[in-house]
Amino acid sequence: MNLLENQVAIVTGATKAKGLGKAIAVKLAELGAMVALTGRASSKAGVEANVAEIQANGGKAMAVLVDVSDAAQVDAAVKQVGDAWGKVDILINNAGVGFGSAVLDENQPKDWDGNYGVNVKGTMALCRGVIPYMEQAGGGAIVNVASTAGIAASVGMPYPYVATKHALVGATKVLALEFASKGIRATVVAPGAINTDMLQQAYAAIAEAEGISIEAAAAKENASIPLGRPAEPGEIADAIAYLASPGASYITGVVLPVAGGMAPGI
């Protein structure tokens, strides 16, 4: 399928071999897009490995090194893609962090600043950077990856992470309203649990805290999901690719939970 043929896409946070960013980039490339995969300089090897894999399978991809919390680096990264491929049609803001404490007094300024710098400030800087390209082309699609934590909180979630994911949802809704007349759509995907290395680390932390096995911790968490399991990265990527595609041409400003039937906030 070539739904996205000749489209240029940027996917942030595409550094890990089994991560969501890579799955998104692979899906967009399979649909015909030219994809710029980004990551910090410290993750150069991971980004380049993912680019090489896409290219080996016949896709078009390039690596762009950027710390999204640094505005100057963001501007340079967007320019790098624009100079290479002449335009930017799709932006997938997948880069995100989630640290801090669920105990208010334990959060330090660096926890708030660190989460905000990537999850909100960095995401919106990238949006600002690609908007001129999309305006020139007569439209484009932005999909910001939040979390079910951006819709509702639950016990044990870090304050800064939940707060910044809520902020991302709100900022995206404003973005959608401001640029709708320009043909630029902005949406949010809010994943629940995803079967990545990060989830396995979370299971291990729960197991240690509760004195149970990792298998028991995973079973406990999965029991809260109506479908009974975490998502595979490719399942989240499918939803993102749809929102970025012409098939979603009349959809903007929405938040789509992709969470196995969980209904946060309801």
Side-chain angles (χ1 to χ4, degrees):
M1 296 177 64
N2 292 312
L3 282 175
L4 302 179
E5 188 171 6
N6 296 322
Q7 298 281 289
V8 172
I10 297 175
V11 180
T12 68
T15 62
K16 297 180 179 179
K18 296 182 180 179
L20 178 57
K22 177 190 175 182
I24 297 166
V26 167
K27 183 64 179 181
L28 298 182
E30 287 175 348
L31 294 174
M34 297 175 279
V35 187
L37 288 71
T38 86
R40 294 181 178 182
S42 59
S43 300
K44 178 181 178 180
V47 178
E48 291 182 342
N50 290 339
V51 166
E53 183 174 328
I54 290 172
Q55 292 174 336
N57 287 310
K60 296 180 180 179
M62 66 182 290
V64 177
L65 301 180
V66 56
D67 178 347
V68 301
S69 67
D70 185 315
Q73 289 191 38
V74 168
D75 290 343
V78 174
K79 184 177 185 299
Q80 180 180 344
V81 178
D83 288 349
W85 285 331
K87 59 177 183 171
V88 180
D89 303 291
I90 297 166
L91 170 64
I92 313 298
N93 278 306
N94 171 68
V97 296
F99 54 87
S101 175
V103 178
L104 181 59
D105 287 346
E106 292 180 357
N107 287 289
Q108 303 299 315
K110 64 181 177 61
D111 298 318
W112 292 100
D113 293 344
N115 280 268
Y116 182 80
V118 175
N119 296 347
V120 183
K121 184 180 175 181
T123 295
M124 300 315 294
L126 276 149
C127 293
R128 184 200 66 225
V130 303
I131 288 292
Y133 289 96
M134 294 181 176
E135 287 181 323
Q136 184 175 4
I142 297 170
V143 183
N144 292 329
V145 180
S147 164
T148 51
I151 304 171
S154 62
V155 174
M157 286 187 169
Y159 274 86
Y161 177 70
V162 174
T164 54
K165 289 299 186 179
H166 272 72
L168 176 58
V169 169
T172 305
K173 290 181 178 181
V174 178
L175 186 73
L177 292 175
E178 181 180 0
F179 293 101
S181 64
K182 305 287 189 178
I184 299 170
R185 300 182 297 104
T187 56
V188 175
V189 165
I194 309 173
N195 187 20
T196 62
D197 292 340
M198 186 178 297
L199 181 62
Q200 300 307 314
Q201 293 167 7
Y203 289 157
I206 293 168
E208 181 177 358
E210 300 187 9
I212 58 179
S213 68
I214 292 178
E215 292 76 16
K220 179 181 178 181
E221 294 301 300
N222 290 342
S224 68
I225 304 171
L227 286 182
R229 62 173 179 83
E232 294 300 323
E235 293 176 305
I236 308 299
D238 285 342
I240 291 169
Y242 166 69
L243 288 174
S245 77
S249 60
Y250 201 60
I251 299 175
T252 194
V254 304
V255 181
L256 175 63
V258 188
M262 294 176 67
I266 296 176

